Each structure stands twice: as C-alpha cells, then as structure tokens.
C-alpha cells in the first residue's frame, strides 16, 4: 500500500486493544542499567500486524486468523481477537502449557493440537503442515507469520520511541532473540539515532538462530529450530548463549534483588545485561524483559522443580565463557563477537580452534 | 491555542467595522534554516500526518507593507504571486471582499534553498493586511491562510515555539516546548546556483520502515527539548537528514557529515525541501568558536565554503506581529 493510501485510510474500526499494556514499564536496576519490563511484549507486534492487515484488506472485519504458536504470541493474538471480534485458529503441540491452553480456550480460540511429530522435521514441520491445511480450509483467512512479517520488527518503533524519550541516549541494548522482531526492530531504530549502539543478542545452546546445531531446549521463548527471516543478524555486535538453568537462576535473582517477577527469557537478558553493565560502568545499558512470571509459578519459581533439573548446581557463573566460533558453545553461558555480520559470513569464517588443530596435526 | 479562536472572531469584527483601519499596515517574519525533523507522525487518534520541526533563523526575514485602497490589489514586485494570493485571502477572511490596496514585499531570504522564502513572504503579507485593519491574527489563523495560499507552509508564523507542525494542514500536531535548545549553526549551500522549487516538489514517499522510524526521532526530540539537550537534538537532526537523503539527496552529504563529525559538531541538519545543510554546534561549549573555524576551513578546502553561521538564541526580538 502506498504512503498516500495509508494516510488517507479511514481509521480502522477495529481499534480496541490494550495500548497501556503494550509498552513496558521502565525500571532502573543500577546507575547504568535500565530494564523494560513488559506485561506481555507480544501484544505490541500482534496489534501492529493486525492493524496493518486490517488497513490493507488482508484481514476482514470478523475475519479468521490462523497461526502456529504455543507461546506468548498466541496469547496476544487471542486477547486481540477476543476484543476485536476475529475468529482465531492456533496450531500447537502437546508441549503447550496446561494453563495457557485453558486460557486460550476461554478466549474463544480454536486450538488444533498436533499429536505426533513427523519423523523428519519433528513437530515444527507437522505444525506448519497443519497450519497450511487450516488456511486452506478457511479461505480469506489471515496468517500473521511473526517469523517473516516485517510488521513484527517495525512495531517496535514505539518501544524505541519510549526509550529515546525517557532515557535519551543509550550505549548498549541487550535482549533475547526468538522471532527476532523485538531486538532486530529496536536495534535498527535506535541505531538510526546512534550508529555506535552496542547490541547484544541473547540465544540459548541448541538454537540454530546464531549458528548452533539444532537440539532440545528447555528454555522457551528465545532461540529457534529454524532461522526466522525477521532476525537481522547484522544488527548484533555480540551474541551470548545462556543455558536453561542459568537463565532460571538469573530470573530468580532478578526477583530477589530487584523485585521484578518476570519470565525466564527476562532472566537470561538480565544475566547478560547485568554483566555488561558491571564491566562497562560508564555506559548506559537498556535490556528487555518480555513477559511476567505468573506463567512460571510451577517451574522457574518452584525450588523443587529447579533442583530436579539435569545438571542443576544452583550456581550462577560470574561471567560468560568467550568462544572463538558459535560451534564451540557448550551447555553453559558463552559469548561471541558477532561484529554485525550475516549468519553466512560467521559460519563461512573457519572456526579458528578447528583450524589451529588441523594445522597442528 | 484556545485564544486564537477568540482573536479570529474579534479580528473579523474589527475588520468589517473598518474603524480601526490604518493608512499602512506592516508585517514581518523571520526565515528559517530548514528543519530539525521532517516526516510522518501520528496524531492522538493514530491518524498519520506529514509534519516538521523548523530550525528558526532570525538573520533573514521578509517584510511587507500594505496600504488599503478600494478596488484592485497591486503587489510589488508582481512576481510575488503567493504573497498576493495570501493578501487576497486575508482581506476575504476579514470580510473585505471588495477591498484591494497596494502590497510591497521585501525579503532578505535567499530563494530555492529551503529557508522559507515563500512562506515568509506569505506570512509577512498576511500580517501586513491584518495590521492595516487593526486585526491581530493568531498564529493558527495565519497558518491556515498561508496553507491555503501556498499548499504547504513552514511553521515560521509560530516564531521560536518548538512545535511539530503539519505543513499541509497548517495545524500544530504537538507543542514541544517554548523553544529548541540553543544551537550555533554553520550554513552550507550544497547546490549553489541551482536551487530547488520548494513548492513544486512532490511530497516524499516514505517507506513503511521510515514511517515507523520517525517515532523514536520524535521521542528523542521531546527529551532534547524538555532537558535542553543540544546533543540529543543533533542526533535527531542527523537521523532525519539521513532519511531525507533517500528522498531529496544533498550533494556531498557523506563528506559534509564526516567533516561535521571530525570537527566535533553535534550533528547536521538539512532543508528537507531545499539545498542548505547546517552543521550544529553547542553555543554553550567554549570550544565551539574554534570548531566552527575548523569545520569552515575543511568545507572550504572541499569546495563548499560555508555561507554564514548564526546562533538560534541571539538576543534579538524575533516576534514581530
Ligand atoms: C517470553 C518471550 N521472551 C522472548 C521472546 C523473543 O522475542 P522475539 O520473538 O521478538 O525475538 C519471546 C518470543 O516469543 C517470548 O515469548
């Protein structure tokens, strides 16, 4: 849609939403460390994607939305669909949280649970197939596709606006990467005002987003089994991989030390941001806490559940282990100088350790 | 501004009664040096508007004198068509449809550089006509008349007030503060001898990312004005200039930017529909005089000798109604 068309559009009738829930509350954790604590970060990109689709006719009044998600994006879509009168079909798998499942049903969502993973491609591919079938069975329905929809990162201009207005200049941005929308979006907007902004992405071992091999992950919300087009790798100066146990412990520490009751990805972001802020005391750091802790009462906030985690030590490393290549990341907190390169550039660069070993042989 | 509605109606009454009519009315307004920010901005309801934040420049101005007379309206020089149109619209808005007169417009604002020459002539003419009839028009009313006369207007009728102004509607989208933080501006004309027809240009066709990117610029601008932070203002201006570069590119933009950075400027600012670029410095910084001399020398060596420099907080009366 052209700019002139966008500007002359009548305002969407579907304007109900949760504007005061979309933006984070800003909290100062240390002199140079600020956190953006969201109620449910995904409300912002979900609302923006629906607004844009409604404005250009991809989503009709009372129309149907289909998406595959078992996380916070589904909840955000469900809240918006409920107040805006859309039908919502969500494709998920048996790993979906029981309470979230009930909540989605109460909001009127049609939940399609894929029972069995494919032999090749696992649940991810099975869910995508089921999503395709749902879209075909509901002609004219809209799929937000948060991994590829450019309105996802663009939605975060409002967070960048809030940060710029409240804090002015920031030196460093730290946040977790799942779809890539929040970090790629905010980083690019803030960097337009500050080309020197230092951007740190937080991923988890066994996520392919920044070049680890795919594998089982306990920490959810960040990381991915595929590389979402919305991850703009060239925005990142530094990547950290935080393991599940470390992220959960840091989540508890965020609550114990700063009284912020947030989810596990918030803990992962806090661990990295706190370290960077301590080691760069004269630089102003902003970090993102994407959701609240209530969904994790029985897990992250339950000592018995934590103690039963494989390899649980109850200890939090003071600093990350620097690695020479993403493939060197093991199960615990690691860091890597990404230097604003593409994924291909990073992967094409030979692993210096492997190279040295080969040369020594 | 609620007062404007009252003054508008009051002026209509005064004008039609005619007993306040003077032999001559005067109008004057300062030019500007392009914009700190120009783009697309949502209003409170979420509707998008084209808007801008002007960088005032009080070392150039337009002046108009209006002598009311029955019959036709004569304008000198006769190529000031927009000013003539604005004078006619002002007479009509005062209910003086049959009245004409003699309008003279003089300006020290260079034409085609994006320094507000057209709007300044228009605003000076409106003020002169109003003054001749004992009417004081509020800035909002002047803005409405100016937009009717020339389609898109700069916000100079608002003086030094820091406002986000919808240039095609003549309305204030946001009151940002009493003034911008003070700046010292080194002015470079990037295309001497050519000039841009600032009025005929099509409005910029910003892409979806740019439309969103104006939000954080606006956020940082609010903070810059609230806290008097010239450095933040420089960041906003540079970011807006970068977006403008995709739509009305300035020759040697990167080179000027590099010279600005190497001389310790806060940033650069452009006329989004013109050819001037300003290197921005903090007048409160004692190093500024030396830095401006350095930047000027480098620009000169590059072949773009700066034309002048000015302070936005010079102790001069800028509001002349
Ligand atoms: C709890 C939580 N944290 C972090 C993220 C990562 O955000 P993004 O998708 O913008 O990369 C998500 C994404 O779903 C999430 O649900």
């Amino acid at each position: 849609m052209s700019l002139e068309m966008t500007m002359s559009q009548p305002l969407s009738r579907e304007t109900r939403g949760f504007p005061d829930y979309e933006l984070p509350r800003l909290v100062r954790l240390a002199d140079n460390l600020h956190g953006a604590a969201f109620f449910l970060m995904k409300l912002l990109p979900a609302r923006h994607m629906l607004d844009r689709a409604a404005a250009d006719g991809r989503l009709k009044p009372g129309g149907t939305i289909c998406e595959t998600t078992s996380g916070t994006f589904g909840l955000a879509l469900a809240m918006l669909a409920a107040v805006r009168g859309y039908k919502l079909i969500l494709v998920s798998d048996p790993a979906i949280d029981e309470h979230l499942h009930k909540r989605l049903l109460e909001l009127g969502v049609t939940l399609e649970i894929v029972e069995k993973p494919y032999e090749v491609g696992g649940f991810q591919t099975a869910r995508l197939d089921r999503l395709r079938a749902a879209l075909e069975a509901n002609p004219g329905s809209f799929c937000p596709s948060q991994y590829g929809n450019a309105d996802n990162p663009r939605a975060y201009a409002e967070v960048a606006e809030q940060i710029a207005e409240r804090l002015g200049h920031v030196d460093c941005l730290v946040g977790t990467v799942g779809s890539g929308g929040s970090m790629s979006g905010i980083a690019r907007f803030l960097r337009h005002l500050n080309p020197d902004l230092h951007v740190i992405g937080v991923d988890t071992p066994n996520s392919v987003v920044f070049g680890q091999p795919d594998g089982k992950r306990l920490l959810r919300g960040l990381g991915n089994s595929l590389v979402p087009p919305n991850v703009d790798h060239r925005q990142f100066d530094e990547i950290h991989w935080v393991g599940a146990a470390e992220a959960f412990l840091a989540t508890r520490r965020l609550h114990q030390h700063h009284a912020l009751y947030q989810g596990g990805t918030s803990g992962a972001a806090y661990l990295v941001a706190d370290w960077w802020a301590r080691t760069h005391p004269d630089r102003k750091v902003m970090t993102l806490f994407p959701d609240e802790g209530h969904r994790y009462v029985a897990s992250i906030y339950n000592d018995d559940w934590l103690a039963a985690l494989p390899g649980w030590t109850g200890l939090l490393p003071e600093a990350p282990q620097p690695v020479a290549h993403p493939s060197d990341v093991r199960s615990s907190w690691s860091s890597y100088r990404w230097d604003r390169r593409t994924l291909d550039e990073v992967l094409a660069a030979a692993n210096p350790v492997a190279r040295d070993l080969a040369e020594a042989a | 501004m609620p007062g404007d509605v009252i003054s508008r109606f009051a002026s209509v009454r005064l004008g039609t009664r005619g007993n306040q009519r003077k032999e001559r009315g005067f109008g004057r307004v300062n030019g500007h040096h392009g914009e700190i920010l120009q783009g697309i901005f949502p209003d409170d309801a979420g509707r998008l508007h084209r808007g801008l934040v002007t960088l005032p420049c009080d070392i150039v101005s337009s002046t108009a004198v209006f002598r009311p007379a029955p019959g036709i309206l004569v304008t000198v020089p006769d190529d000031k068509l927009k000013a003539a149109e604005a004078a006619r619209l002002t007479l009509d808005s005062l209910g003086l449809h049959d009245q004409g007169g003699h309008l003279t417009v003089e300006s020290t604002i260079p034409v085609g550089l994006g320094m507000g020459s057209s709007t300044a002539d228009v605003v000076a003419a409106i003020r002169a006509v109003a003054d001749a009839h004992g009417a004081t028009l509020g800035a909002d009313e002047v803005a409405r008349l100016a937009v009717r006369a020339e389609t898109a207007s700069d916000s100079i009728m608002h003086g030094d007030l820091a406002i986000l102004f919808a240039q095609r509607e003549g309305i204030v989208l946001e009151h940002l503060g009493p003034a911008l933080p003070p700046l010292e501006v080194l002015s470079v004309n990037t295309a001497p001898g050519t000039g841009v027809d600032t009025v005929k240009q099509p409005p910029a066709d910003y892409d979806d990312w740019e439309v969103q990117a104006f939000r954080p610029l606006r956020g940082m601008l609010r903070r810059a004005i609230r806290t008097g932070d010239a450095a933040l203002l420089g960041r906003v201006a540079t970011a807006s200039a970068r977006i403008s570069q995709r739509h009305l590119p300035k020759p040697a933009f990167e080179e000027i930017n590099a010279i600005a950075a190497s001389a310790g400027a806060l940033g650069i600012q452009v006329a989004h529909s013109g050819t001037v670029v300003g290197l921005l410095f903090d007048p409160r910084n004692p190093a500024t005089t030396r830095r401006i001399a350095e930047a000027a020398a480098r620009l000169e060596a590059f072949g773009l000798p700066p034309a002048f420099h000015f302070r936005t907080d010079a102790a001069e009366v800028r509001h002349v109604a």
Side-chain angles (χ1 to χ4, degrees):
Chain A
M1 197 164 50
S2 78
L3 179 59
E4 288 313 315
M5 279 172 65
T6 307
M7 292 183 61
S8 58
Q9 284 283 321
L11 287 177
S12 162
R13 276 174 298 136
E14 280 77 47
T15 49
R16 282 191 66 190
F18 313 89
D20 286 9
Y21 283 76
E22 286 177 358
L23 289 179
R25 284 146 295 187
L26 302 188
V27 184
R28 206 177 82 191
L29 308 179
D31 277 349
N32 67 330
L33 177 58
H34 300 258
F38 288 85
F39 159 72
L40 181 64
M41 183 175 75
K42 291 287 171 180
L43 270 176
L44 176 66
R47 194 266 304 155
H48 188 65
M49 286 185 255
L50 296 193
D51 278 354
R52 298 284 298 168
D56 65 17
R58 281 172 293 154
L59 176 57
K60 307 273 181 312
T64 300
I65 304 165
C66 302
E67 180 63 294
T68 162
T69 162
S70 50
T72 54
F73 185 56
L75 179 57
L77 285 176
M79 290 173 66
L80 286 160
V83 298
R84 291 185 174 187
Y86 297 120
K87 186 168 176 254
L88 176 61
I89 300 171
L90 290 180
V91 179
S92 190
D93 58 45
I96 187 169
D97 174 79
E98 174 200 341
H99 300 288
L100 178 63
H101 191 153
K102 284 188 194 151
R103 200 165 157 194
L104 293 174
L105 292 180
E106 179 140 301
L107 287 167
V109 175
T110 304
L111 257 179
E112 298 207 5
I113 306 290
V114 174
E115 295 299 342
K116 280 211 297 272
Y118 283 5
E119 298 229 340
V120 180
F123 271 120
Q124 190 108 8
T125 313
R127 279 166 51 165
L128 286 173
D129 267 3
R130 182 72 75 87
L131 174 64
R132 205 169 301 124
L135 286 165
E136 273 163 24
N138 294 277
S141 57
F142 169 66
C143 180
S145 319
Q146 63 157 336
Y147 291 158
N149 186 339
D151 286 324
N152 174 4
R154 285 197 290 255
Y156 289 91
E158 296 189 37
V159 178
E161 174 181 1
Q162 183 190 20
I163 294 171
E165 182 170 349
R166 291 283 302 280
L167 299 181
H169 174 79
V170 294
D171 298 295
C172 177
L173 175 72
V174 182
T176 55
V177 181
S179 71
S182 52
M183 279 300 287
S184 304
I186 299 172
R188 186 167 169 212
F189 287 123
L190 288 183
R191 199 166 259 150
H192 189 59
L193 285 157
N194 171 21
D196 297 328
L197 180 75
H198 189 76
V199 177
I200 306 181
V202 181
D203 196 356
T204 192
N206 292 340
S207 152
V208 304
V209 177
F210 292 97
Q212 272 268 287
D214 190 24
K216 207 172 135 44
R217 300 181 303 276
L218 190 55
L219 180 57
R220 309 304 302 187
L222 81 180
N224 216 307
S225 296
L226 45 82
V227 183
N230 274 335
V231 179
D232 182 358
H233 291 84
R234 304 192 65 159
Q235 296 296 335
F236 296 91
D237 295 283
E238 206 174 311
I239 298 298
H240 288 236
W241 292 265
V242 175
E246 299 156 337
F248 299 153
L249 253 175
T251 307
R252 299 292 294 271
R253 189 172 283 186
L254 180 60
H255 187 226
Q256 291 154 358
H257 291 196
H258 302 289
L260 291 178
Y261 193 69
Q262 300 290 128
T265 58
S266 300
Y270 166 63
L271 179 69
V272 175
D274 177 64
W275 165 79
W276 204 88
R278 278 189 282 108
T279 50
H280 301 81
D282 55 348
R283 313 279 294 277
K284 200 192 285 185
V285 185
M286 182 77 227
T287 187
L288 310 178
F289 302 146
D291 72 346
E292 295 190 330
H294 310 289
R295 288 178 55 215
Y296 314 97
V297 174
S299 52
I300 301 171
Y301 289 94
N302 176 351
D303 288 344
D304 297 335
W305 184 87
L306 286 181
L309 288 177
W312 177 255
T313 61
L315 297 172
L316 205 48
E318 280 290 307
Q321 183 67 44
V323 294
H325 193 266
S327 57
D328 289 345
V329 170
R330 296 294 167 255
S331 58
S332 69
W333 184 13
S334 315
S335 65
Y336 177 68
R337 271 190 52 180
W338 193 271
D339 283 340
R340 306 189 191 182
R341 287 173 291 168
T342 65
L343 180 59
D344 284 344
E345 282 165 350
V346 168
L347 295 182
N351 180 340
V353 177
R355 193 189 53 214
D356 291 350
L357 285 175
E359 279 169 11
Chain B
M1 283 186 276
D4 290 334
V5 177
I6 296 165
S7 68
R8 174 150 51 104
F9 288 114
S11 63
V12 169
R13 222 174 350 93
L14 287 170
T16 42
R17 266 208 325 252
N19 56 1
Q20 303 276 331
R21 203 168 99 184
K22 303 179 193 169
E23 197 182 316
R24 292 193 306 175
F26 291 94
R28 179 174 176 272
V29 70
N30 293 320
H32 63 76
H33 196 270
E35 295 76 31
I36 290 292
L37 173 61
Q38 179 165 330
I40 303 280
F41 305 93
D43 61 21
D44 282 348
R47 190 180 293 283
L48 298 175
H49 303 262
R50 293 182 184 275
L52 51 76
V53 177
T54 292
L55 176 62
C57 174
D58 64 7
I59 65 172
V60 289
S61 60
S62 287
T63 313
V65 179
F66 182 68
R67 255 182 270 118
I72 60 159
L73 176 69
V74 179
T75 302
V76 177
D78 61 5
D79 60 350
K80 301 260 187 196
L81 301 176
K82 298 266 162 41
E85 170 71 7
R88 182 72 260 162
L89 288 169
T90 308
L91 287 169
D92 289 348
S93 85
L94 294 171
L96 304 167
H97 303 283
D98 299 330
Q99 209 211 277
H102 188 270
L103 175 73
T104 321
V105 183
E106 283 177 18
S107 184
T108 59
I109 307 174
V111 175
L113 273 57
M115 292 179 66
S117 61
S118 171
T119 300
D121 288 352
V122 161
V123 170
I126 293 168
R127 286 179 174 170
V129 171
D131 181 48
H133 297 90
T136 312
L137 299 183
D140 284 337
E141 180 63 8
V142 174
R144 270 187 287 272
L145 290 167
V147 166
R148 278 178 63 199
E150 56 166 359
T151 310
S153 296
D154 304 307
S155 67
I156 48 178
M157 68 292 288
H158 287 275
D160 284 354
L161 270 184
I163 52 167
L164 180 60
F165 182 75
Q167 69 269 29
R168 292 177 170 266
E169 301 157 81
I171 56 169
V172 176
L173 293 173
E174 182 175 346
H175 287 270
L176 296 159
L180 296 172
L183 291 170
E184 182 133 10
V185 185
L186 179 61
S187 174
V188 184
N189 182 4
T190 57
T194 53
V196 169
D197 189 333
T198 52
V199 179
K200 284 213 191 79
Q201 264 181 82
D205 189 19
Y206 301 109
D207 70 23
D208 287 341
W209 185 82
E210 290 169 332
V211 169
Q212 289 291 92
F214 290 120
R215 284 175 171 273
L217 271 59
R218 183 183 189 175
M220 187 169 278
L221 179 66
R222 289 189 188 114
R223 183 173 178 89
I225 291 169
R226 196 170 67 237
T227 63
D229 189 329
L232 287 184
L233 194 66
R235 289 186 180 280
V236 174
T238 307
S240 186
R242 281 214 172 278
I243 293 179
S244 171
Q245 190 61 10
R246 280 198 352 107
H247 300 279
L248 183 68
K250 305 284 179 286
F253 179 84
E254 292 305 336
E255 289 84 352
I256 295 170
N257 212 4
I259 290 171
S262 73
L266 303 171
I268 63 169
Q269 153 280 326
V270 300
H272 291 66
S273 54
T275 63
V276 288
V277 174
L279 285 71
L280 307 178
F281 295 87
D282 184 351
R284 295 165 294 195
N285 187 325
T288 284
T289 308
R290 176 178 51 78
R291 287 174 173 172
I292 286 186
E294 269 171 34
R298 278 177 218 169
L299 287 164
E300 176 131 34
F302 180 71
L304 281 177
F308 58 92
H309 66 100
F310 66 97
R311 280 179 67 147
T312 59
D313 61 342
E316 262 188 48
V317 181
R318 295 195 195 82
H319 295 271
V320 180

